Amino acid sequence: MEEDVKNIRQSFEEDIKTANDASSLEGLRVKYLGRKGLISELMGRLPSLDKEKRPHVGRELNLLKKHIQGELHEKQQLLSSGREPEEGKIDITMPGILPEEGRLHVITKTLNEINDIFVSLGFQIAEGPEIEKEFYNFEALNIPLEHPSRDAFDTFYIRDDILLRSHTSTVQIRIMEKVKPPIQAIMPGKVYRPDAVDASHSFMFHQVEGLMVDRDIKFSDLKGTLNLFTKRMFGEKTKTRFRPSFFPFTEPSAEVDISCIICKGKGCRVCSHTGWLEILGAGMVNSAVFEAVGYSPRKYTGFAFGMGVERIAMLKYGIDDIRLFFENDIRFLKQF
Ligand code: PHE
């Protein structure tokens, strides 16, 4: 029987080495300490032993039982703490594992920068829905039925009168419907157009809309605001140019260019040798828009502008392909 005790100890030492999860530890507990386990089986045989041997073997058995209990407990603790077994052997001079540091997406960063500039000028930030009624995307903005942008090929329709907004100008209407002037707000958000994706087109991109309405808002207010914006965004030396243009919801309308940030206006490939880069559309709010929201065009005037955030980021950081923003390639994203 003393031989049996030794054997049990040996087989336990083997078993415990390979028990590396909770269920195999429980298996060992049943095998050795269970009611029908190896220890109690030997205990049961004690009475058949010679009287003088009994106390000695009994003590040995109890010690073995304690030993097994202790080992099982220790191993269980080890497993649940997830530590390496050989604590003394951890090499504290090994280089650590650096956690990857998160950062804002370059579009979010650019958007925040644009927002900050306008907020510092007293603009409030407003948002509107991306799924929008046709009325807000077109009618209220004086875009007539025959306008090409209303075509199903130029806009994502969900139902006849529901669509993914194609510009953030929708939010101009939503604000003016709700509040009376003075209004001084910017409206950032996503917009959608069913364009084939290439280096300069994406079916989704971001815009920041601007709107200022009060008594006596003049074109010079628009110029002053955008001049200041482009200087803060692209540097003090940046020049701004207003070219006559057309939008149904502004009159007069302008396309706004900045002096090329690559060649400083001398002419290069990026600016097609013109020295200028187009960055946004703008104008004085069309009186038809005021009428659509119930403002008196005789009482109020205002300006509006809309810019593409991807375009601003591409110019500012010298990025030549819009797809890079959306491909989630960490090698690109971690540069900003
Ligand atoms: N909504 C126009 C666009 O998406 C931009 C714009 C906004 C123009 C406001 C003038 C005034 O192209």
Side-chain angles (χ1 to χ4, degrees):
M1 220 168 129
E2 282 165 290
E3 201 54 31
D4 290 336
V5 178
K6 223 193 252 163
N7 287 341
I8 292 178
R9 185 183 279 270
Q10 246 168 32
S11 93
F12 176 76
E13 299 306 348
E14 283 304 308
D15 283 352
I16 189 83
K17 273 189 214 152
T18 53
N20 284 319
D21 55 57
S23 76
S24 40
L25 284 181
E26 174 60 13
L28 291 191
R29 194 192 63 75
V30 172
K31 176 174 173 188
Y32 291 94
L33 307 175
R35 262 199 302 140
K36 292 182 181 154
L38 294 170
I39 299 279
S40 48
E41 197 244 336
L42 280 197
M43 290 281 191
R45 272 161 50 198
L46 270 183
S48 66
L49 222 58
D50 289 347
K51 243 198 186 131
E52 57 275 20
K53 275 196 174 166
R54 246 183 257 161
H56 172 66
V57 177
R59 206 175 320 118
E60 285 294 299
L61 258 181
N62 270 327
L63 282 177
L64 178 58
K65 186 174 171 182
K66 284 235 168 67
H67 173 71
I68 291 177
Q69 278 170 340
E71 289 283 293
L72 286 177
H73 180 71
E74 201 173 295
K75 187 92 183 228
Q76 191 209 339
Q77 295 267 305
L78 200 69
L79 286 179
S80 57
S81 75
R83 261 184 297 125
E84 285 297 316
E86 293 175 282
E87 235 179 310
K89 292 194 178 166
I90 289 174
D91 180 357
I92 60 164
T93 66
M94 291 238 299
I97 301 166
L98 258 190
E100 284 273 0
E101 208 182 321
R103 68 187 68 219
L104 293 177
H105 192 283
V106 55
I107 289 300
T108 309
K109 261 182 76 168
T110 308
L111 199 53
N112 287 349
E113 236 176 295
I114 297 170
N115 290 349
D116 284 350
I117 295 171
F118 285 107
V119 166
S120 79
L121 295 175
F123 284 76
Q124 291 187 299
I125 299 180
E127 288 182 316
E130 290 168 27
I131 300 173
E132 191 50 286
K133 295 203 182 100
E134 211 179 15
F135 172 78
Y136 290 96
N137 205 75
F138 299 126
E139 263 110 60
L141 287 161
N142 194 34
I143 301 178
L145 209 57
E146 65 277 6
H147 194 278
S149 68
R150 294 188 66 149
D151 194 280
F153 290 106
D154 282 303
T155 305
F156 276 119
Y157 280 85
I158 290 169
R159 274 191 349 225
D160 269 358
D161 56 339
I162 308 269
L163 45 85
L164 295 180
R165 66 179 178 196
S166 59
H167 52 182
T168 42
S169 302
T170 52
V171 194
Q172 289 188 33
I173 305 299
R174 288 191 168 269
I175 294 180
M176 289 192 277
E177 267 186 353
K178 273 214 197 88
V179 299
K180 292 251 150 304
I183 292 170
Q184 193 187 358
I186 53 165
M187 297 141 258
K190 294 188 176 79
V191 301
Y192 302 84
R193 307 206 181 151
D195 285 330
V197 176
D198 64 25
S200 53
H201 293 83
S202 168
F203 55 85
M204 184 283 296
F205 57 97
H206 298 75
Q207 286 189 329
V208 175
E209 191 83 10
L211 177 67
M212 185 155 180
V213 182
D214 202 350
R215 293 165 196 265
D216 262 347
I217 301 291
K218 297 184 284 293
F219 199 89
S220 53
D221 296 314
L222 172 63
K223 285 187 89 168
T225 303
L226 290 179
N227 270 330
L228 193 141
F229 166 73
T230 55
K231 284 194 190 332
R232 292 244 185 113
M233 196 69 196
F234 295 102
E236 277 307 310
K237 297 231 165 76
T238 312
K239 291 197 198 75
T240 309
R241 171 174 89 167
F242 285 66
R243 272 182 297 117
S245 185
F246 174 78
F247 298 102
F249 35 93
T250 47
E251 183 60 36
S253 303
E255 220 112 32
V256 179
D257 302 337
I258 54 167
S259 50
C260 178
I261 48 175
I262 308 292
C263 64
K264 315 279 177 237
K266 286 194 201 75
C268 69
R269 282 234 310 271
V270 174
C271 59
S272 313
H273 303 282
T274 62
W276 296 97
L277 299 163
E278 185 191 319
I279 60 158
L280 56 85
M284 300 306 288
V285 179
N286 194 316
S287 56
V289 173
F290 282 152
E291 267 153 23
V293 297
Y295 285 4
S296 162
R298 267 170 291 124
K299 204 161 154 195
Y300 297 117
T301 53
F303 67 70
F305 58 83
M307 65 184 87
V309 181
E310 280 76 0
R311 174 141 181 92
I312 303 264
M314 287 168 84
L315 294 176
K316 179 155 180 155
Y317 297 108
I319 299 162
D320 61 3
D321 194 324
I322 196 171
R323 289 170 290 198
L324 287 164
F325 292 124
F326 309 118
E327 282 169 349
N328 270 342
D329 186 332
I330 235 105
R331 292 169 303 178
F332 170 75
L333 295 175
K334 72 199 227 182
Q335 295 176 53
F336 304 98

